[in-house]
Amino acid sequence: VDSKSPKKNYGTSSSLYGQSSPLRRGYLRFNVTGISGQVESALLRFTSSATTPMGGAIHKISNNTWTESSVTYNNAPPVDGPELSRLGSVTKGLVYEFNVTAAIIGPATYNFAFVSDNTTAGRCASRESSTPPQLIITYLASSGLAKEEDEEEGVEAEQNIPHAFELYPSYPNPFLVSMLAEPVTFKYALKEAGHVTLRVYNTLGQL
C-alpha cells in the first residue's frame, strides 16, 4: 500500500515495498499446515528487488481479513504486532531471510507486514514474481524419541530426535519446483545422528 495513492490496490505488483516517506507497506499471509511438533525455527525468505541501505523489517499483525485484491492504504490493517526481524543493507537479486520464529507456534494462518523506517524504499519480490517469498519452518516431530513404522518391513524403530542442528541455504537459491527444473540440494548438519524431517512451504502455505 502507498500513502501517495491511498485508494490504489497493488495486489498484482511483483514487488513488496517498505518505506517511511511516503509511507509504503507490504502485507503477506501464510497458511501453515502439517506441523505436529515443536517449532525450532521459522525463516521468511525473500529475494531483494533493489540495492538499498535498509532492507526493511517484518512485523506480525493480528488482522486476518484483508485481501490481496482489495487492500489499499485507506483500508490497510494496522501494524499492531512486534517487530520480528530486520535487515541492514541489501543487494538486488540476492536472497535474504527474516527470522520469524517468535511468531510461529504451530498450524495456523499468519499475517505479516513488511515495513521500513528509511526514506529509501526496501523492495522484496512478491508472490507475483518469479522468486516468491518462502516461509521455511523446521520443527521436531516429537519430544524425546520418535517412533517410525517401516511399511515394507513392518519393523518399528526408535530414533533420537536432534535438539541442535544447522540448516544451510538451498542450492540453487531461489529454486522452482518443476519436473524440468534443476535438482535442489538441501544441506544440514547434526551434532549427532538423529531423526530429520524437512518440509518446504510456498507462499500459500502449501507443502
Side-chain angles (χ1 to χ4, degrees):
V1 297
D2 190 337
S3 63
K4 290 182 65 176
S5 301
K7 296 181 180 180
K8 185 175 181 179
N9 171 260
Y10 293 89
T12 59
S13 174
S14 61
S15 291
L16 299 172
Y17 289 78
Q19 190 174 7
S20 62
S21 182
L23 183 60
R24 304 164 92 179
R25 292 195 298 258
Y27 291 90
L28 303 98
R29 175 179 294 139
F30 293 90
N31 182 27
V32 176
T33 60
I35 295 178
S36 58
Q38 177 185 343
V39 174
E40 291 293 292
S41 70
L43 301 174
L44 189 50
R45 184 173 293 170
F46 281 102
T47 299
S48 179
S49 301
T51 298
T52 63
M54 184 66 68
I58 287 289
H59 289 249
K60 181 183 177 181
I61 63 171
S62 62
N63 186 290
N64 191 40
T65 61
W66 63 273
T67 63
E68 183 181 48
S69 60
S70 64
V71 65
T72 66
Y73 179 82
N74 282 347
N75 65 18
V79 181
D80 56 0
E83 178 181 305
L84 300 170
S85 183
R86 69 167 46 222
L87 297 175
S89 60
V90 296
T91 301
K92 182 178 180 180
L94 296 187
V95 176
Y96 298 89
E97 293 174 339
F98 292 104
N99 189 330
V100 296
T101 305
I104 309 298
I105 59 174
T109 300
Y110 296 94
N111 294 268
F112 300 97
F114 173 63
V115 305
S116 178
D117 52 14
N118 197 285
T119 55
T120 300
R123 289 172 55 191
C124 294
S126 73
R127 73 168 185 161
E128 281 72 26
S129 73
S130 60
T131 55
Q134 296 171 302
L135 181 61
I136 312 296
I137 300 174
T138 304
Y139 68 95
L140 299 181
S142 63
S143 59
L145 297 176
K147 293 184 177 181
E148 294 187 338
E149 183 71 15
D150 188 319
E151 295 180 357
E152 293 184 359
E153 300 295 336
V155 176
E156 189 177 79
E158 291 189 350
Q159 296 181 328
N160 289 325
I161 296 293
H163 291 276
F165 59 91
E166 293 181 74
L167 180 63
Y168 302 93
S170 62
Y171 178 84
N173 189 355
F175 61 85
L176 298 176
V177 179
S178 168
M179 293 181 63
L180 301 178
E182 182 179 355
V184 181
T185 299
F186 293 93
K187 181 180 177 182
Y188 61 89
L190 304 177
K191 289 187 176 180
E192 57 185 18
H195 177 81
V196 176
T197 300
L198 293 177
R199 287 186 170 90
V200 179
Y201 294 83
N202 64 16
T203 55
L204 299 178
Q206 298 168 327
L207 184 62

